[in-house]
């Protein structure tokens, strides 16, 4: 096996993962070997934008002929070492423990919601009938992170998903925000999403957490362009200048770290959800990662120690049993904050110790919500583990 490959192969029924350098000339053969010889139901490829995405997905359909292959570009990878850069992470779900159905959603601004719900219900029915010995289920959505359609898509899914818990992430492009890609079975798509339904022998727990607490500082969006997620006025003042005043910063010094350290949250469904700012425009407008509209009340939030918070949440997930693996979507702003606060090594150790793999995203999905600066994911437990409701 190639010395650069980082494999993680466990029991025959359990999720397995491996990673390799983005520029490895034999990436897919090496990853295929590392994932083992057991037949796979689903292969996920999380690819650094430095990888040759077209070549990878083409070769993957040949290397994994029995599996559905779903891939996307990333804003960073999470492999067996924790936070990683310029890698290709492969996740394999073996047929011994999983079955999956994937639905391609094209032209995200033209989705027929009724048709999509019907396709979801049919896929759920087929999946449930095909493998009766797989009692647990979840859904994973991967979506173009530059589409600005995440809120609309996940908001329409609950009638089709029913009780199936969903998480997901928005495909990235490093820190460039220029070109995000998805693929399914060798075909590459932009402005699209792939929704995958999974049945599992292992009990699963879908989760979401962020490390912020709301303060008493509030603001009202008084002028916005919802379609483009742009806010031009807050409290009837120029948006960037007013935001900077409220968080005690110089308007000329606003940066991704400022936005990561001082996000705003909105209260929905009895809890606060992060609405992160992506950038400030030359005209002083604020561009958000999530849906925003006039009249929305935003609250400034402050972070707790991200590493300590992550440790606590991973310990919670380890009750009543240590998961065999965790598959996550983790916001790029968390990675940025970790770097700025010199926490990258601490967080990477935690991710590695708890068998976490996944990728850094331009946004995260949890249930019917599109959120930011959040880690969402699914934990897989040993068969027979009794999880509380």
């Amino acid at each position: 096996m190639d010395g650069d490959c980082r494999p993680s192969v466990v029991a025959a029924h359990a999720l397995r993962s491996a990673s390799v350098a983005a520029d490895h000339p034999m990436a897919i053969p090496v990853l295929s070997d590392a994932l083992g010889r057991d037949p796979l139901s689903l292969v996920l490829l999380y690819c650094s934008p430095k990888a040759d995405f077209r070549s990878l997905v083409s070769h993957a359909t040949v290397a994994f002929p029995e599996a559905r292959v779903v891939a996307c570009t990333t804003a960073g990878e999470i492999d067996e070492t924790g936070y990683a850069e310029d890698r290709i992470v492969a996740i394999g779900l073996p047929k011994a423990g999983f079955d999956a159905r994937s639905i391609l959603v094209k032209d995200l601004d033209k989705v027929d919601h009724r048709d999509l719900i019907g396709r979801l219900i049919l896929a759920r029915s087929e999946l449930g009938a095909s493998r009766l010995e797989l009692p647990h289920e979840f859904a994973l959505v991967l979506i173009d992170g530059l589409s600005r359609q995440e809120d609309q898509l996940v908001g329409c899914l609950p009638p089709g998903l029913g009780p199936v818990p969903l998480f997901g992430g928005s495909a990235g492009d490093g820190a460039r925000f220029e070109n995000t890609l998805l693929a399914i079975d060798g075909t590459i798509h932009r402005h699209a999403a792939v929704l995958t339904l999974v049945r599992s022998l292992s009990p699963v727990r879908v989760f979401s957490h962020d490390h912020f607490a709301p303060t008493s500082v509030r603001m009202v969006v008084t002028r916005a362009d919802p379609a483009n997620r742009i806010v031009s006025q807050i409290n009837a003042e120029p948006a960037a200048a007013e935001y900077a005043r409220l968080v005690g910063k110089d308007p000329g010094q606003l940066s991704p770290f400022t936005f990561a350290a001082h996000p705003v949250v909105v209260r929905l469904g009895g809890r606060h959800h992060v609405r992160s700012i992506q950038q400030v425009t030359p005209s002083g407008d604020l561009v958000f990662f999530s849906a925003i509209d006039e009249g929305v009340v935003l609250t400034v939030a402050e972070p707790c120690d991200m590493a300590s918070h992550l440790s606590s949440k991973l310990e919670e997930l380890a009750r009543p049993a240590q998961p065999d693996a965790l598959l996550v979507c983790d916001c790029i702003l968390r990675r940025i904050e970790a770097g700025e606060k010199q926490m990258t090594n601490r967080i990477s150790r935690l991710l590695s110790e708890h068998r976490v793999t996944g990728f850094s995203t331009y946004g995260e999905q949890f249930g019917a919500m599109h959120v930011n600066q959040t880690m969402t994911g699914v934990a897989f437990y040993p068969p027979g583990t009794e999880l509380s409701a």
Side-chain angles (χ1 to χ4, degrees), residues 32-76:
S32 175
D33 185 58
L35 293 183
R37 300 302 180 186
D38 296 330
L40 301 174
S41 290
L42 175 70
V43 173
L44 300 171
L45 295 175
Y46 298 143
C47 306
S48 162
K50 291 188 177 181
D52 185 339
F53 191 75
R54 185 173 300 278
S55 176
L56 285 173
V57 298
S58 175
H59 285 93
T61 58
V62 176
F64 304 104
E66 298 183 49
R68 173 58 52 90
V69 179
V70 176
C72 71
T73 56
T74 74

Side-chain angles (χ1 to χ4, degrees), residues 284-295:
D285 297 339
L286 295 176
V287 182
F288 280 70
F289 277 105
S290 294
I292 202 75
D293 205 348
E294 292 178 6

Side-chain angles (χ1 to χ4, degrees), residues 105-113 149 191:
V105 186
K106 297 191 291 186
D107 300 323
L108 288 173
D109 54 351
K110 301 176 183 177
V111 176
D112 182 330
H113 293 177
Q149 296 295 315
H191 207 68

